[in-house]
Amino acid sequence: MIHIRDLGSASQAWTLLDCDHRGGDVGARHACDPLTSPAGWLPATVPGLVAQDLLAAGRIADPFYGDNVKGARWIENRDWLYRTSFQITTDEAAKPVRLVCESLDTFASLYLNGELLTRHENQFRRLVVDVTGRLRPGQNVLVIAFEAPMPATVRRAGPKLAYWNEPWERLYVRKSQMSFGWDWAARTPTVGIVDPIRLEFSDDVWASDLYVSGRPLAGDRGTIRAAVDLTLAKAASPGPATAEMLVDGEVVSTSEVSLGAGSTHVALEHELLHAELWWPKELGSPHLYRVELRIRREQRVLFEATRRCGVRDIKLRLRDPANPNSSVFYFEVNGQRLWAKGDNWLPLDFLHTRVTPDAYRAYMELLMSGGVNCLRVWGGGIIEHAPFYDLCDELGLLLWHDFPYACGVYPKSEAFLEEARLEAIDIVQRLRSHASLALFCGNNENEVLAIQTSPDDRFHAIYYDVLPKVIAELAPDVAYHPGSPSSPSGKTHPDSMEEGDRHNWDVWFGGKSTEFLDDEARFNSEFGAQAFPQRESLESFIPPGDLWKPGAVSHPDGPSPGYLMARHGAQLDKLLPRAASFGLLFNADNLVATTQAFQAETIGRYIRHYRRLLPMTGGVVLWNYTSTWPSICWAAIDFYRRPKQAFYECKRSFRPAVIGIEPTDDGQETYAAHVSLDRPGKVRGIVTLELREIATGNVIHVERGEEGLDGPGAREALRMTLPAALDRRRHALVATFRHDGGIERDIRYLTRVADLVGTGGKLTAERHADRIELTSTGWRLRVGIESYETPAVWDDDYFDMLPGEKRVLRIAHGSMPAHQWVVADMGTRAPLAPGQKVEL
Ligand code: BMA
């Protein structure tokens, strides 16, 4: 058996030393010897990050507050030593033993009892060192010296390469690319032992990770396969052994194996007569089997491992003759199309080792309560911590996984390609057993960048040779896409809307409006817009007085507070002009409300537009929901887990059936109402398209019809041409789809929201123990309830109310928050206490 001794700080104490100016290696040797060890060690958390320990020790101020991140920058210029000591018995000292580090960030030298064991400098590769005979009975000291990350990076850099997001030297090192800062985050240096570290003792065998995979077969049968590679430990003798496979605790398959010199591949398979399939939550239940593989000789167990396994067939479909040019890009699970409604996943915390399994779960459930059914782990971040992947399997979230390359043209040297290959082997082996894994993707935006800067680098060997070969060998049933975006034929622009996926930044970076959308992307894997978080969240990271004062927003690169806001992500030059088309900006509440309204509108328009292209378009992945730190950024949920307006607009537009109004032409004289269904099943109902006067709510003209859909698709239900000489400021279009499953609505203004005439009236909000009742005498914009406590997701929030309407809000996810505010229009806001009735 392999005996595992966890070396994390939950089991034993670790300390951390700031090695002043790059004294790491020398310090590490001395540190192992109690007589020469320098003073000044701090308690350390392992797995953890240096910044986390410095924060706990009061050596840095919260880097997420105000301008403090600047005061933490020095971390990247110091060497850091981690030290622990542990007791080893005489018996253990005689056994074959390995030291395993799942992830070290990044430039690490490992010393055991004063001697250099090895060096390692790839955060994405597991380190395994044979330390047999090097542990001594009694006390042992392990020191891991981390070289100062920024100078280490600069030293390893070769010639300057094309990139977006400073510093370009990051392209040469295999360290999380966002740890150097990104356009949504200031550089918060990360250094540390970021995943589990352990000793493994074995008298018998060493083993690769257990690989399980399940596939459906004809009828309702299915198959489960479990495989492992075993190597005899030094003390063990070759010879026969018995391999057993257990499913849900029962032995289902047995086989005799012969353990010889070198590596032995053991694989067992079992056929299920009635397989329960793994489905993404939206399409069914994410059933998981418990699979064990056990190798024994007589009664002695040599190896044993357990994993959960889903029986499913996930395909990425690229061709469909029914489509105009036959090109599509969508996921199919067990033969059913899944219209992707995704989040571009970033770590939940820049200090990502602080994220607990409960925090992952709570966050994923929050996303799912908003209709999200898949996650794209974005290539600039990290390979997530293990609980993340287990939860995707368990909750039924489909997983798209980028390899960790982003926004750059990476080196092409033999050495770099070889490192890429070894790294890919580790990543694929680590992730391939997960039921939720739908797609491996080569990189984030590197092809688009290459086209602009050095077209010869578009088909870079990492994504077109190294990675596909590793996947074909180790995970042949997982789809591979060379980059996001990328065009499968290689003949169109990587960001083409005619094939492959597309990052649609037409609005945010391209300056386009959403009034008339003609994009026909087969799959939209990135699109988004920024917004401020709600006031309580802003107050948690921006010092009083810094948020709103003259000049604060006009010099994003100037000194604080302009600087402060820029460091917190805001691209104010883009954001404020757009927010201004929703209302005046004269205080912080307006800033929050107008930016959120703009973000929600942009995202909602795009989602409804792409839904209208069903079944040609395969889905949308929002950039993004996740806030890695407190910021003014693209996230639809802020760092404190408070949803922005966009979260609710997505929730509405991610419902099974949706209605959307779009102009049929650039001139915007005629509008069409489209209904769509994004999943299997049927929907039937009545559609209306009304032209209403805003001041009175009166219907000026109405079109009405019946509509129905069978399975994923969309239909134009109604059309209306606006009367000539209509005052567009005083009227709006309202489309409604009343069907068995509920009522869908879309409201389309015919001018900028800031220019509307006729909104107003009295809004009344009444807070009851289990609900909020809202009534409005006039046409009110973006009416909602803001909450302090989280998670608190309402069944709906931030919607427009028509004259005479009444709405009742209940909590759909989480619990009734204690502190609430009623909000409306573009910055009107009042507290709403229990039992209170408020008029706005
Ligand atoms: C996309 C991403 C990121 C970036 C985001 C916002 O292109 O892939 O690189 O942070 O846009 O600019």
Side-chain angles (χ1 to χ4, degrees), residues 659-681:
I659 190 159
I661 309 174
E662 278 194 77
T664 57
D665 61 299
D666 211 356
Q668 297 175 50
E669 293 305 326
T670 302
Y671 288 81
H674 303 264
V675 292
S676 60
L677 178 66
D678 72 352
R679 62 197 75 183

Side-chain angles (χ1 to χ4, degrees), residues 164-165 182-184 344 376 378 406-407 444-445 484 503 505 508-509 526 571 623 634:
W164 292 316
N165 294 300
W182 213 258
D183 63 353
W184 42 266
N344 274 288
R376 168 184 173 225
W378 169 73
C407 298
N444 174 72
E445 295 187 343
S484 184
H503 289 188
W505 286 104
W508 186 257
F509 289 110
E526 275 191 19
Q571 294 178 1
W623 185 274
W634 290 273

Side-chain angles (χ1 to χ4, degrees), residues 466-528:
V466 175
L467 300 179
K469 278 187 186 150
V470 170
I471 292 162
E473 195 189 325
L474 298 176
D477 58 349
V478 181
Y480 174 71
H481 184 50
S484 184
S486 180
S487 63
S489 74
K491 292 188 180 120
T492 58
H493 190 280
D495 212 15
S496 161
M497 59 185 185
E498 285 159 36
E499 57 168 332
D501 66 327
R502 167 159 158 67
H503 289 188
N504 186 337
W505 286 104
D506 286 355
V507 173
W508 186 257
F509 289 110
K512 247 182 106 168
S513 88
T514 50
E515 278 170 19
F516 178 69
L517 301 177
D518 52 5
D519 193 90
E520 295 193 341
R522 280 10 182 198
F523 191 100
N524 186 0
S525 42
E526 275 191 19
F527 69 114

Side-chain angles (χ1 to χ4, degrees), residues 46-94:
V46 172
L49 286 162
V50 164
Q52 208 176 321
D53 297 325
L54 295 178
L55 192 57
R59 291 273 304 275
I60 56 169
D62 178 2
F64 293 169
Y65 186 79
D67 241 353
N68 289 348
V69 71
K70 286 193 290 189
R73 192 57 92 70
W74 58 275
I75 296 171
E76 68 183 25
N77 290 318
R78 310 292 185 107
D79 284 4
W80 294 95
L81 299 188
Y82 277 89
R83 180 175 71 176
T84 191
S85 54
F86 50 90
Q87 294 292 323
I88 288 291
T89 63
T90 316
D91 194 30
E92 284 172 328

